Amino acid sequence: LQIVSYQLKNSKTEITLKYQGEEYQIESPLLGEFNIYNLCAALLGAISMGHSFQELLKRVSSIQTPPGRLQFLNFGQPYKIVLDYAHTPDAFSKIYPFLNSVKEKRLITVTGSAGGREVEKRGPMGKIVLESSDFVVFTMDDPRYEEVDSIIDDLIGITKKKNYQRIQNREEAIDHALSMAEAGDIILIAGKGVDNYMAIGDEYLPYSDLEVIESYFKNKKKDTL
């Protein structure tokens, strides 16, 4: 199975595949280059289980995007909001090339790093986030027993860049990023995806990025009435 060519768009991916000497043009709702490889691996796995390649291709267009995985949210806003679980240097290095290829203006990121684990990833991850974003809002992400500012310090490192702000409270950080968004921007809210908790100390408190975003637009609608 060969990937002949592809076009990355912000609502679909157009792909030309070659299988057993024949070329096929398909449209996938999965976004980003990495998802082309994921799709091809899934196709080959299904073929090895006896499924017809042609029948599989008919189903590609109806694939549902996994919640919290490069999930575009639409509340009628003139900019794009992307919810994603990205919380490692590898994940960010895959998602940013796609988002920067489809952005019209700025790419603004809201992110943090979990406390009590993987301290060594923070510096490399923060470097990628700062270099790949036009602006970053660093915030909490399951801090557990660590101080949020200390985690953010690790993410920022010794960079000379000034394209960031720190807002400890994640809900406030998301609201701030959305309030500064303009038409054509992309707001990436990364780290927690559709998790429904925030780990603080030894407690798992109810929390949802998606609910925070929904609440922002509900309140904005009320303000305009």
Side-chain angles (χ1 to χ4, degrees):
L1 178 60
Q2 178 186 355
I3 301 168
V4 177
S5 63
Y6 59 85
Q7 271 196 305
L8 302 176
K9 300 188 176 182
N10 60 26
S11 60
K12 62 183 178 180
T13 305
E14 297 176 351
I15 314 168
T16 300
L17 298 176
K18 190 173 186 178
Y19 181 68
Q20 295 185 337
E22 295 284 335
E23 286 195 2
Y24 303 85
Q25 280 76 42
I26 61 172
E27 289 187 357
S28 169
L30 301 176
L31 306 177
E33 183 185 66
F34 61 94
N35 268 323
I36 300 174
Y37 292 96
N38 289 342
L39 175 62
C40 287
L43 289 172
L44 288 171
I47 290 168
S48 72
M49 296 171 67
H51 295 280
S52 159
F53 182 70
Q54 287 76 12
E55 288 301 314
L56 290 169
L57 292 188
K58 292 177 183 177
R59 301 189 180 194
V60 169
S61 62
S62 60
I63 292 173
Q64 296 296 309
T65 303
R69 302 284 183 181
L70 206 56
Q71 182 179 2
F72 281 72
L73 304 176
N74 185 3
F75 296 92
Q77 76 280 356
Y79 51 88
K80 293 179 172 58
I81 303 170
V82 180
L83 198 61
D84 195 86
Y85 276 110
H87 60 278
T88 64
D90 181 65
F92 278 113
S93 70
K94 288 181 169 60
I95 194 173
Y96 276 129
F98 167 67
L99 292 178
N100 274 305
S101 73
V102 299
K103 75 175 184 180
E104 296 174 25
K105 291 187 178 177
R106 298 177 300 171
L107 174 52
I108 299 169
T109 301
V110 179
T111 193
S113 188
R117 60 187 64 182
E118 299 180 304
V119 176
E120 68 282 354
K121 79 176 183 183
R122 294 175 188 168
M125 188 173 88
K127 185 173 186 290
I128 293 170
V129 171
L130 286 165
E131 290 179 350
S132 303
S133 307
D134 294 289
F135 192 78
V136 183
V137 183
F138 287 111
T139 188
M140 67 167 58
D141 180 344
D142 298 333
R144 296 181 173 84
Y145 288 98
E146 284 194 66
E147 291 292 330
V148 177
D149 264 332
S150 177
I151 295 173
I152 294 174
D153 286 342
D154 289 341
L155 287 165
I156 295 170
I158 58 173
T159 184
K160 294 182 180 179
K161 285 185 168 290
K162 302 295 182 183
N163 61 327
Y164 67 86
Q165 184 173 352
R166 55 173 80 208
I167 300 177
Q168 286 199 13
N169 182 286
R170 192 174 177 97
E171 183 173 351
E172 292 176 9
I174 291 173
D175 283 355
H176 179 71
L178 295 176
S179 68
M180 68 182 290
E182 299 174 353
D185 288 344
I186 294 178
I187 310 299
L188 169 62
I189 299 172
K192 294 193 66 62
V194 291
D195 283 350
N196 59 4
Y197 67 87
M198 180 72 74
I200 300 178
D202 58 1
E203 294 185 288
Y204 284 78
L205 304 175
Y207 173 83
S208 163
D209 277 352
L210 182 57
E211 289 180 3
V212 170
I213 298 165
E214 289 174 342
S215 178
Y216 173 85
F217 284 101
K218 284 179 182 175
N219 291 334
K220 190 173 182 180
K221 188 175 181 180
K222 288 178 183 176
D223 291 341
T224 59
L225 293 177

